[in-house]
Amino acid sequence: MAASDLNLRQTLFCGQCFRWEENPDGVFSGIAFGKKCVIRQEENKSLTDDPIWRTYFDLDTDYGFLQKRLSGISPVLSEAVQYAPGIRILRQDFWEALASFIISQNNNIPRIRGIIARLCENFGEKFNDGYAFPEPQKLLGLLPEDLSSLRCGFRARYLLDAAQKVCAGEIDPVSLQKMPLEKAKTQLMTICGVGPKVADCVLLYGLHRMEAFPMDVWMKRAMKTLFPGMKPEDFGQGAGLAQQYIFYYSRQHPELFLEKNSLKLSDSKKFCSGRKL
DNA sequence: GCCCAGGGTGTTT
DNA sequence: AAACACCATGGG
């Protein structure tokens, strides 16, 4: 029962992770916690048998209950839930989530995937036909130019600062897990290159803090158009999950925002310099 | 608070 | 061909 509602495509391509692939024959493959997974949607029930994947796909959480509660908040949210009921918030490795979302800033998904792939190929352990995500220790003592092969630009020094703080224990997932959300967020933001948005992503995807609500450009647009006047807190405990349904729904329905996009070119120009929407 | 740069890629005009 | 947009942030 637990795994039957897991949809691999919705879960693995809703923007929360960057290392999974779907082959044309419907086979999903990915690596997490140094282990490779190759699986088809029809076989997803077998994931409950392996503790690693049972945890990774959050199969012990009752999403039906959460969905029901969220759906009661607003008809639009109910529709977003119905659109992708098979989404689950993955329990990813903390460091992988931290590094990945530092890389993700002001960036597009194809390029994020490329940078992370090169990070693993260059610094991760090879096994079978893939590479593990490199431990932060692998980046210790390096200079930004040592990461030039990643072509991650200005994000290189951010990655190095994150690795240094994690290795030094200044950033510790175990203690972050116990802290109140805002305190953990403040703590994460002491890393150079981690602002409010990246911190919320790390809290949600790397520490499974379901209250965290990452606000990226798409979410700002979606909130304005679909939930005028509503704030993240209005979604309650499962705000992060609500965010994921809304994010996925919005990305799959860009036409909902076309009017806004073409409204003012001068406005979208301003986006890259910081403020918009 | 305001404004700009930083890097590269996919997408739109 | 050129401009735009991108799962933001740091620094002046």
Side-chain angles (χ1 to χ4, degrees), chain A residues 211-272:
Chain A
E211 331 92 276
F213 194 99
M215 268 285 210
D216 71 316
V217 180
W218 287 87
M219 282 306 298
K220 284 175 186 166
R221 279 199 287 250
M223 289 301 289
K224 197 172 184 178
T225 311
L226 304 175
F227 304 93
M230 278 189 79
K231 290 154 71 171
E233 308 87 81
D234 300 330
F235 295 115
Q237 278 281 301
L241 181 60
Q243 178 268 163
Q244 209 60 42
Y245 293 126
I246 297 165
F247 182 76
Y248 188 81
Y249 185 83
S250 305
R251 299 281 328 225
Q252 302 291 316
H253 296 89
E255 72 278 3
L256 290 172
F257 310 102
L258 276 182
E259 201 185 345
K260 310 267 170 197
N261 281 344
S262 54
L263 202 64
K264 264 191 178 180
L265 279 175
S266 56
D267 273 354
S268 38
K269 249 182 201 168
K270 285 184 192 164
F271 158 72
C272 271

Side-chain angles (χ1 to χ4, degrees), chain A residues 4 6 16 30 38 55 72-73 93 95 132 137 151 170 174 195 205-207 219 247 267:
Chain A
S4 58
L6 163 66
Q16 61 176 323
V38 179
T55 302
I73 293 176
D93 173 67
W95 162 248
Q137 288 80 4
R151 282 177 288 151
E170 292 171 44
V174 178
Y205 306 124
L207 293 168
M219 282 306 298
F247 182 76
D267 273 354

Side-chain angles (χ1 to χ4, degrees), chain A residues 156-214:
Chain A
R157 69 187 186 94
Y158 300 165
L159 274 179
L160 296 177
D161 189 57
Q164 187 272 319
K165 285 191 165 64
V166 169
C167 289
E170 292 171 44
I171 296 294
D172 174 41
V174 178
S175 62
L176 286 172
Q177 194 69 257
K178 299 177 195 155
M179 289 178 197
L181 191 78
E182 284 308 314
K183 192 177 177 198
K185 184 169 174 176
T186 306
Q187 188 90 247
L188 283 166
M189 286 170 61
T190 62
I191 301 168
C192 182
V194 175
K197 157 66 172 61
V198 173
D200 277 330
C201 287
V202 176
L203 288 166
L204 182 58
Y205 306 124
L207 293 168
H208 212 261
R209 296 291 292 258
M210 289 277 228
E211 331 92 276
F213 194 99

Side-chain angles (χ1 to χ4, degrees), chain A residues 11-20 31-34 52-58 63 88-101 112 116 133 173 177 200-209 244:
Chain A
T11 298
L12 298 172
F13 299 101
C14 67
Q16 61 176 323
C17 58
F18 302 100
R19 295 199 70 203
W20 287 80
I31 296 170
F33 295 100
I52 287 195
W53 302 118
R54 191 182 177 113
T55 302
Y56 184 77
F57 286 101
D58 200 24
Y63 277 68
R88 280 169 174 269
I89 304 294
L90 297 170
R91 291 181 183 268
Q92 301 184 67
D93 173 67
F94 171 77
W95 162 248
E96 178 170 340
L98 173 58
S100 296
F101 283 94
I112 296 163
I116 293 174
F133 198 90
Q177 194 69 257
D200 277 330
C201 287
V202 176
L203 288 166
L204 182 58
Y205 306 124
L207 293 168
H208 212 261
R209 296 291 292 258
Q244 209 60 42

Side-chain angles (χ1 to χ4, degrees), chain A residues 99-160:
Chain A
S100 296
F101 283 94
I102 285 174
I103 290 166
S104 80
Q105 66 180 253
N106 194 42
N107 215 341
N108 54 62
I109 289 170
R111 185 166 173 237
I112 296 163
R113 294 176 63 92
I115 293 170
I116 293 174
R118 291 190 290 275
L119 174 65
C120 295
E121 287 161 21
N122 284 281
F123 298 98
E125 297 288 339
K126 182 164 175 51
F127 72 99
N128 298 337
D129 53 342
Y131 292 86
F133 198 90
E135 294 301 316
Q137 288 80 4
K138 297 271 183 178
L139 302 182
L140 267 189
L142 299 185
L143 300 169
E145 50 263 41
D146 297 322
L147 301 186
S148 60
S149 60
L150 307 184
R151 282 177 288 151
C152 66
F154 57 88
R155 302 165 191 85
R157 69 187 186 94
Y158 300 165
L159 274 179
L160 296 177

